[in-house]
Amino acid sequence: MRHRLVAVAAITTLAAVASVAAQQPASLRQAIDAAVAAPSRTPANSARDKYRHPAETLAFFGVKPGDTVVEIWPSGGWYTEILAPLTKGKGTLYAAVPSGNAKGVEALKAKDAALYGPIRVVSFPAAAGQAKVPDGTADVVLTFRNVHNWRMGYQQSGQDYSPEAFKQMYAMLKKGGTLGIEDHRLPESASDERETKSGYIKVSTVRRLAEAAGFKFVGASEVNANKADTADWPNGVWTLPPSYALKDQDRAKYAAIGESDRMTLKFRKP
């Protein structure tokens, strides 16, 4: 009976994903494709599209040009280079940066003020008195490869602050708003302890954190899956490209594997 229930759940999830994809209008995908093809993108970033699948990922999340979009921890701006042209003149883009570190976003603003100048920079997680996304104003919150950092206590002396991060993301969204998450996927059979040092995190952990904050699970996509990634590398996920933590050691092997196996999850604020 248990196997039957698991099979039914899997079929239900796949049906939900197919339903979401079917509901995306052609005009939305065209807008996303145009943003991905924007000439303003850095060639080195565009070269990673084969691993990161930005058009398919953003379409799955349902990001629209007129949305108020929050990008959590944009770092050097890989997705910012797509989200800025997508929302330019129609929507609003927030860059929620850690500890006020907006170097990546500021570099983009300095390079192209017309395109990146309108980005609103705020802190995340925001402490008392820091600029933040106003509660209940975002249509979409996106976070790419970050939940594992919160779980590992990055920049917080190793203390897990993921529950607070999800609480703040929930607060900034409108009712009915979308939370889109992509992260390095740890097999469910692996030890929970590996979430604290490998850079990988379990889907069940992400779902638990999101649902504890009040989110409802909408569906999952396998667009960023990589079956060649066994998630048990010497230096964690950073062994693989683009980090290559082992430098030239077995570089060809890791290049052939490609970037990590990743979950792509969509949640909704009721």
Side-chain angles (χ1 to χ4, degrees):
M1 178 62 73
R2 180 182 178 184
H3 292 298
R4 181 182 178 186
L5 290 174
V6 170
V8 170
I11 292 171
T12 301
T13 298
L14 289 172
V17 172
S19 176
V20 169
Q23 293 172 11
Q24 302 299 335
S27 58
L28 170 58
R29 182 55 190 263
Q30 289 169 359
I32 292 174
D33 286 345
V36 171
S40 53
R41 292 188 67 202
T42 306
N45 285 344
S46 297
R48 293 176 64 198
D49 287 357
K50 62 181 180 179
Y51 298 121
R52 302 202 65 173
H53 314 103
E56 296 84 354
T57 300
L58 294 176
F60 174 68
F61 292 146
V63 184
K64 300 184 292 295
D67 283 344
T68 293
V69 180
V70 180
E71 183 183 5
I72 304 291
W73 286 19
S75 187
W78 197 94
Y79 258 102
T80 312
E81 288 190 347
I82 299 170
L83 294 171
L86 179 63
T87 57
K88 183 182 179 183
K90 297 180 180 179
T92 301
L93 179 60
Y94 282 91
V97 301
S99 304
N101 183 0
K103 290 182 179 179
V105 177
E106 294 304 329
L108 290 174
K109 286 175 176 280
K111 182 176 73 171
D112 190 340
L115 178 58
Y116 300 109
I119 296 175
R120 302 180 185 184
V121 179
V122 295
S123 294
F124 183 86
Q130 291 183 321
K132 67 173 188 175
V133 178
D135 290 352
T137 60
D139 295 294
V140 182
V141 173
L142 301 172
T143 182
F144 302 99
R145 309 183 182 202
N146 289 316
V147 181
H148 71 273
N149 286 311
W150 312 333
R151 176 82 172 87
M152 293 171 64
Y154 176 69
Q155 295 190 342
Q156 296 287 342
S157 303
Q159 298 299 308
D160 181 0
Y161 56 98
S162 51
E164 175 62 22
F166 275 85
K167 178 182 177 182
Q168 291 197 19
M169 291 190 294
Y170 187 89
M172 63 180 68
L173 276 165
K174 299 174 182 177
K175 290 183 179 180
T178 294
L179 170 63
I181 294 177
E182 177 208 308
D183 215 327
H184 312 295
R185 178 163 47 191
L186 184 67
E188 293 296 323
S189 59
S191 166
D192 290 346
E193 190 269 340
R194 288 180 57 195
E195 292 186 339
T196 65
K197 60 183 180 182
S198 70
Y200 291 92
I201 189 169
K202 296 180 181 181
V203 170
S204 59
T205 298
V206 176
R207 284 197 59 173
R208 172 177 54 79
L209 290 164
E211 289 165 1
F215 287 103
K216 300 299 182 183
F217 179 64
V218 175
S221 170
E222 288 298 294
V223 67
N224 291 304
N226 179 1
K227 293 181 179 180
D229 177 16
T230 56
D232 58 355
W233 311 114
N235 285 56
V237 73
W238 304 282
T239 306
L240 299 177
S243 298
Y244 289 112
L246 298 180
K247 300 186 183 301
D248 291 334
Q249 181 181 335
D250 295 324
R251 189 180 183 92
K253 168 187 172 181
Y254 298 124
I257 292 168
E259 296 195 20
S260 68
D261 174 57
R262 297 183 305 285
M263 67 184 83
T264 306
L265 309 177
K266 182 175 181 177
F267 297 89
R268 177 179 58 83
K269 179 177 180 177

PDB file of all heavy atoms in Angstrom, residues 110-143:
ATOM      1  N   ALA A 110      26.672  50.308 -12.099  1.00  0.00           N
ATOM      2  CA  ALA A 110      27.737  51.157 -12.637  1.00  0.00           C
ATOM      3  C   ALA A 110      27.983  50.853 -14.113  1.00  0.00           C
ATOM      4  O   ALA A 110      28.311  51.752 -14.900  1.00  0.00           O
ATOM      5  CB  ALA A 110      29.021  50.944 -11.840  1.00  0.00           C
ATOM      6  N   LYS A 111      27.795  49.594 -14.509  1.00  0.00           N
ATOM      7  CA  LYS A 111      28.031  49.198 -15.895  1.00  0.00           C
ATOM      8  C   LYS A 111      26.929  49.669 -16.818  1.00  0.00           C
ATOM      9  O   LYS A 111      27.195  50.090 -17.954  1.00  0.00           O
ATOM     10  CB  LYS A 111      28.160  47.672 -15.973  1.00  0.00           C
ATOM     11  CG  LYS A 111      28.458  47.150 -17.371  1.00  0.00           C
ATOM     12  CD  LYS A 111      28.665  45.642 -17.378  1.00  0.00           C
ATOM     13  CE  LYS A 111      27.363  44.895 -17.181  1.00  0.00           C
ATOM     14  NZ  LYS A 111      27.539  43.424 -17.402  1.00  0.00           N
ATOM     15  N   ASP A 112      25.677  49.612 -16.344  1.00  0.00           N
ATOM     16  CA  ASP A 112      24.537  49.961 -17.198  1.00  0.00           C
ATOM     17  C   ASP A 112      23.427  50.547 -16.318  1.00  0.00           C
ATOM     18  O   ASP A 112      22.528  49.848 -15.886  1.00  0.00           O
ATOM     19  CB  ASP A 112      24.036  48.720 -17.940  1.00  0.00           C
ATOM     20  CG  ASP A 112      23.007  49.047 -19.015  1.00  0.00           C
ATOM     21  OD1 ASP A 112      22.391  50.130 -18.953  1.00  0.00           O
ATOM     22  OD2 ASP A 112      22.815  48.206 -19.918  1.00  0.00           O
ATOM     23  N   ALA A 113      23.517  51.848 -16.081  1.00  0.00           N
ATOM     24  CA  ALA A 113      22.570  52.505 -15.188  1.00  0.00           C
ATOM     25  C   ALA A 113      21.148  52.477 -15.725  1.00  0.00           C
ATOM     26  O   ALA A 113      20.187  52.393 -14.962  1.00  0.00           O
ATOM     27  CB  ALA A 113      23.005  53.951 -14.934  1.00  0.00           C
ATOM     28  N   ALA A 114      21.002  52.544 -17.036  1.00  0.00           N
ATOM     29  CA  ALA A 114      19.661  52.549 -17.622  1.00  0.00           C
ATOM     30  C   ALA A 114      18.942  51.236 -17.351  1.00  0.00           C
ATOM     31  O   ALA A 114      17.731  51.214 -17.093  1.00  0.00           O
ATOM     32  CB  ALA A 114      19.748  52.809 -19.124  1.00  0.00           C
ATOM     33  N   LEU A 115      19.654  50.129 -17.405  1.00  0.00           N
ATOM     34  CA  LEU A 115      19.042  48.820 -17.209  1.00  0.00           C
ATOM     35  C   LEU A 115      18.945  48.431 -15.745  1.00  0.00           C
ATOM     36  O   LEU A 115      17.894  47.976 -15.279  1.00  0.00           O
ATOM     37  CB  LEU A 115      19.843  47.754 -17.973  1.00  0.00           C
ATOM     38  CG  LEU A 115      19.359  46.307 -17.841  1.00  0.00           C
ATOM     39  CD1 LEU A 115      17.906  46.164 -18.309  1.00  0.00           C
ATOM     40  CD2 LEU A 115      20.268  45.379 -18.640  1.00  0.00           C
ATOM     41  N   TYR A 116      20.031  48.632 -15.010  1.00  0.00           N
ATOM     42  CA  TYR A 116      20.083  48.128 -13.635  1.00  0.00           C
ATOM     43  C   TYR A 116      19.832  49.201 -12.571  1.00  0.00           C
ATOM     44  O   TYR A 116      19.594  48.873 -11.409  1.00  0.00           O
ATOM     45  CB  TYR A 116      21.448  47.483 -13.372  1.00  0.00           C
ATOM     46  CG  TYR A 116      21.741  46.321 -14.290  1.00  0.00           C
ATOM     47  CD1 TYR A 116      22.705  46.423 -15.298  1.00  0.00           C
ATOM     48  CD2 TYR A 116      21.041  45.127 -14.164  1.00  0.00           C
ATOM     49  CE1 TYR A 116      22.977  45.367 -16.153  1.00  0.00           C
ATOM     50  CE2 TYR A 116      21.295  44.057 -15.014  1.00  0.00           C
ATOM     51  CZ  TYR A 116      22.267  44.185 -16.006  1.00  0.00           C
ATOM     52  OH  TYR A 116      22.517  43.123 -16.848  1.00  0.00           O
ATOM     53  N   GLY A 117      19.849  50.450 -12.978  1.00  0.00           N
ATOM     54  CA  GLY A 117      19.650  51.532 -12.017  1.00  0.00           C
ATOM     55  C   GLY A 117      18.362  51.444 -11.214  1.00  0.00           C
ATOM     56  O   GLY A 117      18.340  51.743 -10.018  1.00  0.00           O
ATOM     57  N   PRO A 118      17.236  51.024 -11.830  1.00  0.00           N
ATOM     58  CA  PRO A 118      15.969  50.973 -11.093  1.00  0.00           C
ATOM     59  C   PRO A 118      15.882  49.877 -10.029  1.00  0.00           C
ATOM     60  O   PRO A 118      14.930  49.857  -9.245  1.00  0.00           O
ATOM     61  CB  PRO A 118      14.935  50.707 -12.204  1.00  0.00           C
ATOM     62  CG  PRO A 118      15.577  51.178 -13.461  1.00  0.00           C
ATOM     63  CD  PRO A 118      17.030  50.853 -13.284  1.00  0.00           C
ATOM     64  N   ILE A 119      16.849  48.966  -9.980  1.00  0.00           N
ATOM     65  CA  ILE A 119      16.790  47.884  -8.988  1.00  0.00           C
ATOM     66  C   ILE A 119      16.824  48.464  -7.582  1.00  0.00           C
ATOM     67  O   ILE A 119      17.665  49.306  -7.254  1.00  0.00           O
ATOM     68  CB  ILE A 119      17.963  46.899  -9.171  1.00  0.00           C
ATOM     69  CG1 ILE A 119      17.875  46.203 -10.524  1.00  0.00           C
ATOM     70  CG2 ILE A 119      17.973  45.862  -8.045  1.00  0.00           C
ATOM     71  CD1 ILE A 119      19.063  45.304 -10.824  1.00  0.00           C
ATOM     72  N   ARG A 120      15.906  48.006  -6.742  1.00  0.00           N
ATOM     73  CA  ARG A 120      15.832  48.470  -5.362  1.00  0.00           C
ATOM     74  C   ARG A 120      16.603  47.501  -4.466  1.00  0.00           C
ATOM     75  O   ARG A 120      16.300  46.313  -4.424  1.00  0.00           O
ATOM     76  CB  ARG A 120      14.374  48.569  -4.911  1.00  0.00           C
ATOM     77  CG  ARG A 120      13.541  49.497  -5.795  1.00  0.00           C
ATOM     78  CD  ARG A 120      12.101  49.584  -5.320  1.00  0.00           C
ATOM     79  NE  ARG A 120      11.277  50.373  -6.228  1.00  0.00           N
ATOM     80  CZ  ARG A 120      10.002  50.670  -6.021  1.00  0.00           C
ATOM     81  NH1 ARG A 120       9.386  50.229  -4.918  1.00  0.00           N
ATOM     82  NH2 ARG A 120       9.330  51.395  -6.902  1.00  0.00           N
ATOM     83  N   VAL A 121      17.591  48.008  -3.769  1.00  0.00           N
ATOM     84  CA  VAL A 121      18.448  47.177  -2.925  1.00  0.00           C
ATOM     85  C   VAL A 121      17.973  47.210  -1.482  1.00  0.00           C
ATOM     86  O   VAL A 121      17.780  48.285  -0.905  1.00  0.00           O
ATOM     87  CB  VAL A 121      19.915  47.642  -3.019  1.00  0.00           C
ATOM     88  CG1 VAL A 121      20.802  46.779  -2.123  1.00  0.00           C
ATOM     89  CG2 VAL A 121      20.409  47.587  -4.464  1.00  0.00           C
ATOM     90  N   VAL A 122      17.779  46.036  -0.912  1.00  0.00           N
ATOM     91  CA  VAL A 122      17.347  45.899   0.476  1.00  0.00           C
ATOM     92  C   VAL A 122      18.190  44.805   1.134  1.00  0.00           C
ATOM     93  O   VAL A 122      18.975  44.129   0.479  1.00  0.00           O
ATOM     94  CB  VAL A 122      15.854  45.524   0.570  1.00  0.00           C
ATOM     95  CG1 VAL A 122      14.975  46.641   0.038  1.00  0.00           C
ATOM     96  CG2 VAL A 122      15.576  44.221  -0.180  1.00  0.00           C
ATOM     97  N   SER A 123      18.020  44.651   2.443  1.00  0.00           N
ATOM     98  CA  SER A 123      18.771  43.642   3.189  1.00  0.00           C
ATOM     99  C   SER A 123      17.941  42.383   3.401  1.00  0.00           C
ATOM    100  O   SER A 123      16.718  42.434   3.492  1.00  0.00           O
ATOM    101  CB  SER A 123      19.202  44.193   4.556  1.00  0.00           C
ATOM    102  OG  SER A 123      20.127  45.241   4.406  1.00  0.00           O
ATOM    103  N   PHE A 124      18.652  41.254   3.469  1.00  0.00           N
ATOM    104  CA  PHE A 124      17.989  39.982   3.761  1.00  0.00           C
ATOM    105  C   PHE A 124      18.979  38.994   4.353  1.00  0.00           C
ATOM    106  O   PHE A 124      20.055  38.814   3.803  1.00  0.00           O
ATOM    107  CB  PHE A 124      17.387  39.375   2.492  1.00  0.00           C
ATOM    108  CG  PHE A 124      16.635  38.104   2.761  1.00  0.00           C
ATOM    109  CD1 PHE A 124      15.301  38.152   3.142  1.00  0.00           C
ATOM    110  CD2 PHE A 124      17.266  36.873   2.681  1.00  0.00           C
ATOM    111  CE1 PHE A 124      14.616  36.974   3.422  1.00  0.00           C
ATOM    112  CE2 PHE A 124      16.580  35.707   2.962  1.00  0.00           C
ATOM    113  CZ  PHE A 124      15.260  35.754   3.334  1.00  0.00           C
ATOM    114  N   PRO A 125      18.590  38.346   5.461  1.00  0.00           N
ATOM    115  CA  PRO A 125      17.428  38.675   6.287  1.00  0.00           C
ATOM    116  C   PRO A 125      17.612  40.060   6.891  1.00  0.00           C
ATOM    117  O   PRO A 125      18.714  40.416   7.297  1.00  0.00           O
ATOM    118  CB  PRO A 125      17.427  37.590   7.362  1.00  0.00           C
ATOM    119  CG  PRO A 125      18.305  36.487   6.846  1.00  0.00           C
ATOM    120  CD  PRO A 125      19.323  37.169   5.988  1.00  0.00           C
ATOM    121  N   ALA A 126      16.553  40.825   6.943  1.00  0.00           N
ATOM    122  CA  ALA A 126      16.623  42.206   7.408  1.00  0.00           C
ATOM    123  C   ALA A 126      16.532  42.272   8.929  1.00  0.00           C
ATOM    124  O   ALA A 126      15.626  41.702   9.535  1.00  0.00           O
ATOM    125  CB  ALA A 126      15.503  43.026   6.783  1.00  0.00           C
ATOM    126  N   ALA A 127      17.504  42.951   9.525  1.00  0.00           N
ATOM    127  CA  ALA A 127      17.471  43.209  10.966  1.00  0.00           C
ATOM    128  C   ALA A 127      16.686  44.494  11.207  1.00  0.00           C
ATOM    129  O   ALA A 127      16.359  45.235  10.272  1.00  0.00           O
ATOM    130  CB  ALA A 127      18.884  43.331  11.507  1.00  0.00           C
ATOM    131  N   ALA A 128      16.365  44.756  12.465  1.00  0.00           N
ATOM    132  CA  ALA A 128      15.606  45.952  12.817  1.00  0.00           C
ATOM    133  C   ALA A 128      16.324  47.200  12.305  1.00  0.00           C
ATOM    134  O   ALA A 128      17.536  47.360  12.498  1.00  0.00           O
ATOM    135  CB  ALA A 128      15.439  46.032  14.327  1.00  0.00           C
ATOM    136  N   GLY A 129      15.586  48.048  11.606  1.00  0.00           N
ATOM    137  CA  GLY A 129      16.136  49.294  11.101  1.00  0.00           C
ATOM    138  C   GLY A 129      16.743  49.209   9.721  1.00  0.00           C
ATOM    139  O   GLY A 129      17.056  50.248   9.121  1.00  0.00           O
ATOM    140  N   GLN A 130      16.922  48.006   9.188  1.00  0.00           N
ATOM    141  CA  GLN A 130      17.481  47.867   7.847  1.00  0.00           C
ATOM    142  C   GLN A 130      16.393  47.965   6.786  1.00  0.00           C
ATOM    143  O   GLN A 130      15.240  47.622   7.038  1.00  0.00           O
ATOM    144  CB  GLN A 130      18.214  46.529   7.704  1.00  0.00           C
ATOM    145  CG  GLN A 130      19.488  46.420   8.513  1.00  0.00           C
ATOM    146  CD  GLN A 130      20.207  45.101   8.271  1.00  0.00           C
ATOM    147  OE1 GLN A 130      19.572  44.047   8.150  1.00  0.00           O
ATOM    148  NE2 GLN A 130      21.527  45.148   8.201  1.00  0.00           N
ATOM    149  N   ALA A 131      16.772  48.440   5.609  1.00  0.00           N
ATOM    150  CA  ALA A 131      15.827  48.513   4.491  1.00  0.00           C
ATOM    151  C   ALA A 131      15.385  47.103   4.123  1.00  0.00           C
ATOM    152  O   ALA A 131      16.198  46.182   4.051  1.00  0.00           O
ATOM    153  CB  ALA A 131      16.481  49.187   3.297  1.00  0.00           C
ATOM    154  N   LYS A 132      14.091  46.929   3.894  1.00  0.00           N
ATOM    155  CA  LYS A 132      13.571  45.619   3.541  1.00  0.00           C
ATOM    156  C   LYS A 132      12.441  45.761   2.532  1.00  0.00           C
ATOM    157  O   LYS A 132      11.939  46.863   2.278  1.00  0.00           O
ATOM    158  CB  LYS A 132      13.050  44.891   4.786  1.00  0.00           C
ATOM    159  CG  LYS A 132      11.809  45.526   5.412  1.00  0.00           C
ATOM    160  CD  LYS A 132      11.256  44.641   6.534  1.00  0.00           C
ATOM    161  CE  LYS A 132       9.906  45.158   7.033  1.00  0.00           C
ATOM    162  NZ  LYS A 132       9.308  44.240   8.028  1.00  0.00           N
ATOM    163  N   VAL A 133      12.028  44.649   1.960  1.00  0.00           N
ATOM    164  CA  VAL A 133      10.877  44.653   1.070  1.00  0.00           C
ATOM    165  C   VAL A 133       9.633  44.877   1.931  1.00  0.00           C
ATOM    166  O   VAL A 133       9.428  44.161   2.919  1.00  0.00           O
ATOM    167  CB  VAL A 133      10.749  43.313   0.317  1.00  0.00           C
ATOM    168  CG1 VAL A 133       9.508  43.321  -0.577  1.00  0.00           C
ATOM    169  CG2 VAL A 133      11.997  43.036  -0.501  1.00  0.00           C
ATOM    170  N   PRO A 134       8.804  45.860   1.608  1.00  0.00           N
ATOM    171  CA  PRO A 134       7.597  46.087   2.407  1.00  0.00           C
ATOM    172  C   PRO A 134       6.715  44.844   2.445  1.00  0.00           C
ATOM    173  O   PRO A 134       6.572  44.128   1.447  1.00  0.00           O
ATOM    174  CB  PRO A 134       6.897  47.242   1.674  1.00  0.00           C
ATOM    175  CG  PRO A 134       7.993  47.933   0.943  1.00  0.00           C
ATOM    176  CD  PRO A 134       8.953  46.854   0.526  1.00  0.00           C
ATOM    177  N   ASP A 135       6.156  44.572   3.593  1.00  0.00           N
ATOM    178  CA  ASP A 135       5.300  43.395   3.756  1.00  0.00           C
ATOM    179  C   ASP A 135       4.140  43.410   2.763  1.00  0.00           C
ATOM    180  O   ASP A 135       3.525  44.450   2.505  1.00  0.00           O
ATOM    181  CB  ASP A 135       4.737  43.336   5.178  1.00  0.00           C
ATOM    182  CG  ASP A 135       5.790  43.018   6.226  1.00  0.00           C
ATOM    183  OD1 ASP A 135       6.933  42.701   5.836  1.00  0.00           O
ATOM    184  OD2 ASP A 135       5.472  43.074   7.426  1.00  0.00           O
ATOM    185  N   GLY A 136       3.842  42.247   2.209  1.00  0.00           N
ATOM    186  CA  GLY A 136       2.666  42.087   1.361  1.00  0.00           C
ATOM    187  C   GLY A 136       2.712  42.796   0.034  1.00  0.00           C
ATOM    188  O   GLY A 136       1.661  43.103  -0.540  1.00  0.00           O
ATOM    189  N   THR A 137       3.913  43.026  -0.521  1.00  0.00           N
ATOM    190  CA  THR A 137       4.012  43.794  -1.767  1.00  0.00           C
ATOM    191  C   THR A 137       4.572  43.008  -2.947  1.00  0.00           C
ATOM    192  O   THR A 137       4.428  43.443  -4.092  1.00  0.00           O
ATOM    193  CB  THR A 137       4.892  45.036  -1.579  1.00  0.00           C
ATOM    194  OG1 THR A 137       6.208  44.632  -1.182  1.00  0.00           O
ATOM    195  CG2 THR A 137       4.300  45.956  -0.505  1.00  0.00           C
ATOM    196  N   ALA A 138       5.195  41.872  -2.717  1.00  0.00           N
ATOM    197  CA  ALA A 138       5.856  41.128  -3.790  1.00  0.00           C
ATOM    198  C   ALA A 138       4.914  40.122  -4.441  1.00  0.00           C
ATOM    199  O   ALA A 138       4.138  39.450  -3.763  1.00  0.00           O
ATOM    200  CB  ALA A 138       7.091  40.420  -3.264  1.00  0.00           C
ATOM    201  N   ASP A 139       5.005  40.034  -5.752  1.00  0.00           N
ATOM    202  CA  ASP A 139       4.272  38.998  -6.489  1.00  0.00           C
ATOM    203  C   ASP A 139       5.050  37.685  -6.501  1.00  0.00           C
ATOM    204  O   ASP A 139       4.461  36.603  -6.423  1.00  0.00           O
ATOM    205  CB  ASP A 139       4.038  39.436  -7.943  1.00  0.00           C
ATOM    206  CG  ASP A 139       3.141  40.651  -8.042  1.00  0.00           C
ATOM    207  OD1 ASP A 139       1.951  40.537  -7.695  1.00  0.00           O
ATOM    208  OD2 ASP A 139       3.638  41.719  -8.452  1.00  0.00           O
ATOM    209  N   VAL A 140       6.370  37.815  -6.607  1.00  0.00           N
ATOM    210  CA  VAL A 140       7.232  36.639  -6.708  1.00  0.00           C
ATOM    211  C   VAL A 140       8.505  36.870  -5.903  1.00  0.00           C
ATOM    212  O   VAL A 140       9.112  37.941  -5.986  1.00  0.00           O
ATOM    213  CB  VAL A 140       7.631  36.354  -8.175  1.00  0.00           C
ATOM    214  CG1 VAL A 140       8.484  35.092  -8.261  1.00  0.00           C
ATOM    215  CG2 VAL A 140       6.417  36.240  -9.068  1.00  0.00           C
ATOM    216  N   VAL A 141       8.906  35.867  -5.147  1.00  0.00           N
ATOM    217  CA  VAL A 141      10.201  35.858  -4.470  1.00  0.00           C
ATOM    218  C   VAL A 141      10.973  34.675  -5.019  1.00  0.00           C
ATOM    219  O   VAL A 141      10.476  33.547  -5.043  1.00  0.00           O
ATOM    220  CB  VAL A 141      10.057  35.739  -2.941  1.00  0.00           C
ATOM    221  CG1 VAL A 141      11.428  35.564  -2.282  1.00  0.00           C
ATOM    222  CG2 VAL A 141       9.364  36.969  -2.369  1.00  0.00           C
ATOM    223  N   LEU A 142      12.195  34.936  -5.470  1.00  0.00           N
ATOM    224  CA  LEU A 142      13.024  33.900  -6.071  1.00  0.00           C
ATOM    225  C   LEU A 142      14.327  33.766  -5.296  1.00  0.00           C
ATOM    226  O   LEU A 142      14.966  34.771  -4.967  1.00  0.00           O
ATOM    227  CB  LEU A 142      13.352  34.253  -7.521  1.00  0.00           C
ATOM    228  CG  LEU A 142      12.165  34.451  -8.470  1.00  0.00           C
ATOM    229  CD1 LEU A 142      12.659  34.984  -9.815  1.00  0.00           C
ATOM    230  CD2 LEU A 142      11.409  33.146  -8.661  1.00  0.00           C
ATOM    231  N   THR A 143      14.724  32.533  -5.030  1.00  0.00           N
ATOM    232  CA  THR A 143      16.018  32.305  -4.400  1.00  0.00           C
ATOM    233  C   THR A 143      16.687  31.112  -5.066  1.00  0.00           C
ATOM    234  O   THR A 143      16.125  30.024  -5.131  1.00  0.00           O
ATOM    235  CB  THR A 143      15.898  32.132  -2.876  1.00  0.00           C
ATOM    236  OG1 THR A 143      17.201  31.970  -2.315  1.00  0.00           O
ATOM    237  CG2 THR A 143      15.008  30.969  -2.482  1.00  0.00           C
TER     238      THR A 143
END
